[in-house]
Amino acid sequence: QVQLVESGGGLVQPGGSLTLSCQASGTIFSRYTMGWYRQAPGKQRELVARIGSSGITTNYADAVKGRFTISRDNAKNLVILQMNSLQLEDTAVYYCNAIYGNGATALGWGQGTQVTVSP
């Protein structure tokens, strides 16, 4: 069973940058498409970026396209979300998860990491 631990969140001013990390345990990590999700207060959790198992294919939500970059290191069981030009609307708890082909998440949710964008 793969477990996920997110880190790297914090408080940042608008226009700033943060790098989030998702450390996965388990030996089958490299088989999964992985995604970064976020949940803002009072809103549903949404997928913001995903990356194929080989790291070649990436997709982004329109709201973050051009500002966020997802990457992975299968040797280290690591998924990274580089967030630039952060906006107030990016404030949320960020989570990672594995994604099945039908779009459903494959694993239990970790504790997430809080990102707060504030002047």
Side-chain angles (χ1 to χ4, degrees):
Q1 181 69 19
V2 178
Q3 293 183 322
L4 305 165
V5 178
E6 301 92 347
S7 62
L11 174 64
V12 64
Q13 293 183 337
S17 298
L18 283 174
T19 302
L20 306 185
S21 297
C22 171
Q23 182 68 59
S25 64
T27 58
I28 60 173
F29 168 82
S30 62
R31 301 180 190 177
Y32 286 112
T33 290
M34 296 296 297
W36 277 99
Y37 297 75
R38 68 185 182 187
Q39 187 168 21
K43 295 187 177 181
Q44 289 190 336
R45 192 173 291 167
E46 61 175 347
L47 177 66
V48 296
R50 65 180 177 182
I51 185 167
S53 58
S54 66
I56 295 175
T57 303
T58 57
N59 299 98
Y60 298 91
D62 287 344
V64 307
K65 201 171 292 183
R67 300 188 296 119
F68 290 10
T69 302
I70 188 171
S71 60
R72 68 190 296 164
D73 184 337
N74 285 343
K76 297 180 179 179
N77 284 6
L78 202 59
V79 182
I80 301 294
L81 187 68
Q82 176 65 43
M83 306 188 297
N84 298 326
S85 302
L86 283 162
Q87 303 170 356
L88 299 177
E89 301 75 39
D90 297 319
T91 295
V93 180
Y94 284 72
Y95 304 86
C96 64
N97 211 319
I99 305 174
Y100 285 133
N102 62 3
T105 53
L107 304 171
W109 294 102
Q111 83 286 354
T113 186
Q114 175 72 48
V115 172
T116 302
V117 184
S118 179

